[in-house]
Amino acid sequence: MKLLRELGIVGVSVALGLGVGAIITAATGYSVPAVFRELVRGAFGDIYGFANTMTQATPILFTSLSFLIAFRVGLFNIGAEGQLLLGGFFAAWAGFTLNLPPILHVVVCLFFGAAAGAAWGFIPGWLRARRGANEFVTTMMLSYVALYLTSWLVSPGGPYHGHQWANQTARIMSSAELPRLMASGRELPSWGLVVGVLVAVIAWYFLFRTPRGYEIRAVGQSPLAAEYGGVDIARAQILAMVLAGALAGLGGAAEILGTHRRFIEGFSPGYGWDGIAGGLIARAHPIGAVFAALLMGALRAGGRAVDRAGVAPSDLAWVFQGLVILFVVAPELIRYFKRIRLRRRAHGRPEP
Amino acid sequence: MRRALVLLVAIVALGAWMGFGAEHPKIGLVLATGGLGDRSFNDQGFWGAERAAEEIAAEYGVSVDDVLDYVEPRSIADYESFYREFSRAGEYAVIIGIGFDHAPILEEVAPDYPDQKFVVIDAVAAVDNVASIVFRDQETAFLCGVVAGMLSETRKGGVLGGMDIPLIRRFVDGFTQGMKWIDAEAEVSVRFVGDWGNPTLGKELSLELYRGNADIIYGAAGASHLGTFAAAEERDGWWAIGTDVDQAWSAPEHADVIIASGLKRVDLAVYTEVMKVIDGTWEAGVIEYGMATDEGIGTGIAFGPWDVSDYIEASYSTVALPNNVVKDILAKLNEAVEGIRDGTIVIETE
């Protein structure tokens, strides 16, 4: 019943977002039916439309999981974008440098991606737990460090500039590719989607069925109670941030190995940010994240179809996306900030 | 809920129905990441496709929007999915990619759709169903060298290159030979920025060239040679030559120092390739555009106040030159164009 109510709320919010989007579309002089036709067709219209939705949803699933695992311990990881980029780069590096047999190569590349992301999550986690540094600031700033670092690595002056002009690395070896699911291995989505769903299930198991997961949730719900209960708050916070980073890094790795086959400067059109919305829409539940990511992916896929069909400028498609996210996420976000303010006041910690 | 579902199905069905019934040829255009409004490759490519689409639209009695579909990718990472979406649709007579960074993606995607015709501008994709359009940049550079040779009072020119690569070497070779064709004693110095997007360093290196007594610098460094224009502003008698489009138009704040611009006629190439597809004369492979090629067009210069020929176009430059000087230079440019076309001028490249 609770699930049904939550679904109802999300449904109404999506409808509100689309409604306001329709008003803006009409007001700017574009055809509302045409825009909606393309939105739906691009996201669900045929098997390839749905494939586009799933392709876009894959990295968002990882970043949603990344966001929600930190959220569960009471931290706000808004650095998934950087963790994703860094994970993508290191996966690509392992993909074109190491020479390994097919399946092992993929696993090793994914591991490299996860490890790079984990390192990028550890820093803000440690700073938060041991030094009280606000994770909003540190994760966001580290995100920019990762963005510009990877950008430099593949720029003409950097060490991994693979193609004569385009800012990207060399192609990964075929042994490191995550195969694609459709049209005998040609068409996206890639097996990254399967990995993502699997990881979501593991994340669920970890959070709800293991002592460590319980500790993380306990700290998130009431740090004081958790402390009285003997939970090491700092350790739980660091662990959650490391896992959050690893999940985002894994997402970047899956995207590179399955979709792009080389690291491309700025390959993420904001998947890390979408993860914040995805995690909140999912109400911080790993299985919910699968469906939240599908919703976000559908918006992206539909937006691309609007752009390609030329019924409205792509900017308008992004307006739709922004509105839907706003309407779906806003109530949850307000609730969260109310809670965190109360809690941080109780702890005498700085407010965000 | 059920009503919404029915509505959804109806919308999908309507969408599917409207997809049928297109009989006129369609053009799919994948622009580079800069997007429209860059006053360079993307705009040029779009004009070429638009011109072709207008002719097709007029012939079939449909609107240009029905013929031409284009996308503006936000990053290189978007290219593949756009190419696959266009290709899968199966309704495009030709799919055109603007810019060198499309080539690696086309090499992966094009083999999957062997019946689809592709065109890529300014790069080579070695696939059986892709026409790779390249330009004889050395011809353009030669014309720029002619202008420099006629105008330089110090008898010394400079080239600011983006990187020391064969592509840019062609610019240097063409420019040097063009200048020496006018003045055998002329000298050319070269600096490489090592980066296509660093106008600050571009300006420093340009100042070095100007202070080394070059009074006219040819910029072949992408956004980096915007620094050349800025450097030229610092002293009277220092001039600059732009690249790819008339930069007195694309960078109007420097129209007072940009005396000419070498042209890469992406618009003509795109238009020509589309029309070849329509006429049934289209072929895959590497296709050279330029004066001394089968196509006979694609290179040129923007200089002076008049459109003289397919190769010499009016420039938005505001540099005030005496009328007789302009006429002398135009005469020499015409002579050079004729020479390149009939083969009496052969430009040596490495």
Side-chain angles (χ1 to χ4, degrees):
Chain A
M1 269 299 94
K2 187 174 164 249
L3 179 71
L4 265 181
R5 206 190 59 204
E6 289 288 334
L7 275 178
I9 294 173
V10 170
V12 170
S13 307
V14 171
L16 272 174
L18 292 176
V20 175
I23 294 169
I24 294 176
T25 307
T28 45
Y30 295 97
S31 156
V32 178
V35 168
F36 273 86
R37 192 186 70 215
E38 289 304 328
L39 268 178
V40 173
R41 201 176 65 144
F44 306 107
D46 56 11
I47 182 73
Y48 288 113
F50 192 57
N52 275 345
T53 294
M54 291 191 292
T55 305
Q56 297 286 325
T58 303
I60 300 173
L61 171 56
F62 283 99
T63 54
S64 300
L65 292 171
S66 165
F67 177 80
L68 72 85
I69 209 154
F71 193 76
R72 282 280 177 180
V73 87
L75 297 180
F76 216 84
N77 176 29
I78 54 175
E81 184 82 358
Q83 295 148 6
L84 176 102
L85 285 169
L86 215 61
F89 178 81
F90 278 92
W93 180 85
F96 61 72
T97 309
L98 308 177
N99 209 342
L100 296 167
I103 294 171
L104 180 67
H105 201 173
V106 174
V107 173
V108 167
C109 290
L110 288 173
F111 175 79
F112 265 82
W120 228 237
F122 171 79
I123 301 169
W126 186 86
L127 286 172
R128 178 76 178 85
R130 304 286 183 210
R131 291 284 176 271
N134 189 319
E135 80 281 1
F136 278 79
V137 178
T138 51
T139 52
M140 173 125 104
M141 289 303 137
L142 279 174
S143 210
Y144 285 106
V145 173
L147 174 66
Y148 291 112
L149 179 68
T150 53
S151 177
W152 170 75
L153 284 168
V154 298
S155 69
Y160 294 105
H161 185 63
H163 187 267
Q164 219 170 21
W165 298 297
N167 289 357
Q168 54 194 20
T169 64
R171 196 183 190 288
I172 60 170
M173 293 172 204
S174 53
S175 53
E177 285 175 13
L178 266 175
R180 292 178 177 182
L181 286 169
M182 292 178 60
S184 40
R186 280 183 354 210
E187 296 272 0
L188 290 161
S190 75
W191 276 86
L193 179 67
V194 179
V195 175
V197 173
L198 227 88
V199 168
V201 173
I202 294 171
W204 170 82
Y205 183 84
F206 170 77
L207 273 176
F208 294 99
R209 292 286 180 276
T210 67
R212 287 271 182 272
Y214 175 77
E215 284 181 17
I216 284 176
R217 287 185 297 127
V219 171
Q221 266 161 14
S222 171
L224 288 176
E227 203 163 21
Y228 289 137
V231 177
D232 184 341
I233 293 184
R235 197 182 61 183
Q237 284 179 333
I238 294 175
L239 176 65
M241 283 304 290
V242 166
L243 288 175
L247 285 167
L250 198 58
E255 184 71 355
I256 293 303
L257 303 181
T259 303
H260 303 308
R261 272 75 192 270
R262 48 161 57 89
F263 180 87
I264 302 174
E265 178 186 26
F267 71 86
S268 163
Y271 292 135
W273 309 110
D274 283 2
I276 301 174
L280 289 170
I281 293 171
R283 304 292 189 258
H285 194 287
I287 305 303
V290 176
F291 298 98
L294 274 178
L295 172 67
M296 304 286 294
L299 285 168
R300 277 194 178 274
R304 292 166 59 92
V306 170
D307 185 14
R308 185 171 75 80
V311 292
S314 56
D315 302 312
L316 203 62
W318 305 122
V319 169
F320 267 90
Q321 197 182 15
L323 283 169
V324 170
I325 293 170
L326 186 71
F327 275 93
V328 176
V329 164
E332 181 70 6
L333 211 55
I334 291 165
R335 235 177 294 162
Y336 171 79
F337 279 116
K338 265 192 189 151
R339 227 171 37 196
I340 204 167
R341 179 168 298 187
L342 287 175
R343 187 182 315 147
R344 289 198 175 170
R345 196 172 289 157
H347 276 249
R349 285 203 177 121
E351 286 175 17
Chain B
M1 263 328 266
R2 182 161 301 163
R3 195 172 298 169
L5 209 67
V6 171
L7 193 70
L8 202 75
V9 171
I11 291 171
V12 172
L14 188 74
W17 173 71
M18 290 182 76
F20 291 116
E23 281 177 21
H24 53 82
K26 293 179 75 171
I27 308 166
L29 180 66
V30 182
L31 295 162
T33 49
L36 289 180
D38 65 349
R39 295 197 166 207
S40 184
F41 264 39
N42 282 309
D43 281 348
Q44 277 188 299
F46 184 76
W47 295 334
E50 200 180 30
R51 186 177 148 206
E54 277 165 7
E55 291 187 14
I56 295 167
E59 191 173 326
Y60 287 85
V62 292
S63 77
V64 173
D65 286 347
D66 294 331
V67 177
L68 175 61
D69 284 334
Y70 65 96
V71 286
E72 299 176 66
R74 309 222 144 191
S75 101
I76 306 175
D78 284 341
Y79 288 165
E80 175 174 352
S81 46
F82 279 133
Y83 276 114
R84 287 196 188 275
E85 278 163 33
F86 273 134
S87 306
R88 233 167 20 219
E91 56 186 25
Y92 295 94
V94 59
I95 298 170
I96 304 157
I98 305 293
F100 56 83
D101 54 9
H102 291 244
I105 299 294
L106 271 175
E107 285 182 350
E108 304 223 357
V109 175
D112 288 344
Y113 308 93
D115 299 328
Q116 175 68 55
K117 298 182 174 79
F118 294 94
V119 172
V120 61
I121 299 293
D122 215 21
V124 174
V127 190
D128 290 343
N129 52 333
V130 179
S132 306
I133 308 304
V134 294
F135 295 86
R136 286 177 60 84
D137 301 310
Q138 61 270 34
E139 296 178 351
T140 297
F142 189 93
L143 298 184
C144 294
V146 170
V147 172
M150 296 288 284
L151 283 173
S152 176
E153 287 174 10
T154 58
R155 302 173 79 185
K156 193 165 177 192
V159 180
L160 188 76
M163 307 192 97
D164 192 356
I165 53 176
L167 172 93
I168 298 304
R169 282 279 161 199
R170 290 208 298 271
F171 280 83
V172 175
D173 291 342
F175 183 79
T176 308
Q177 287 164 53
M179 206 165 167
K180 285 187 190 288
W181 184 67
I182 297 294
D183 175 4
E185 302 292 308
E187 281 178 64
V188 174
S189 312
V190 186
R191 291 287 184 281
F192 293 104
V193 184
D195 192 345
W196 306 101
N198 192 342
T200 314
L201 183 56
K203 183 177 175 183
E204 285 309 310
L205 293 170
S206 299
L207 284 173
E208 208 177 296
L209 286 168
Y210 282 126
R211 291 190 182 122
N213 220 19
D215 59 356
I216 187 158
I217 297 178
Y218 182 28
S224 295
H225 75 245
L226 290 174
T228 303
F229 304 150
E233 301 279 2
E234 293 200 352
R235 194 171 302 171
D236 284 341
W238 284 355
W239 286 317
I241 299 176
T243 288
D244 288 347
V245 293
D246 179 11
Q247 293 205 280
W249 165 73
S250 65
E253 66 276 19
H254 297 303
D256 57 335
V257 291
I258 301 170
I259 196 115
S261 294
L263 300 179
K264 182 174 285 192
R265 298 297 302 273
V266 172
D267 52 337
L268 287 179
V270 168
Y271 169 79
T272 308
E273 288 300 312
V274 174
M275 288 335 245
K276 280 201 260 180
V277 170
I278 303 300
D279 300 343
T281 55
W282 184 87
E283 274 177 42
V286 178
I287 312 222
E288 255 198 333
Y289 273 76
M291 297 173 219
T293 65
D294 294 342
E295 308 299 331
I297 45 166
T299 52
I301 190 168
F303 173 79
W306 309 290
D307 284 331
V308 176
S309 65
D310 280 350
Y311 314 102
I312 304 167
E313 290 217 326
S315 165
Y316 281 78
S317 171
T318 57
V319 178
L321 290 175
N323 241 339
N324 58 325
V325 173
V326 172
K327 280 181 180 155
D328 284 351
I329 293 174
L330 285 175
K332 274 288 174 197
L333 283 174
N334 267 325
E335 204 183 317
V337 167
E338 286 313 311
I340 294 170
R341 278 169 61 78
D342 66 23
T344 49
I345 295 175
V346 177
I347 307 164
E348 310 273 343
T349 54
E350 285 172 30

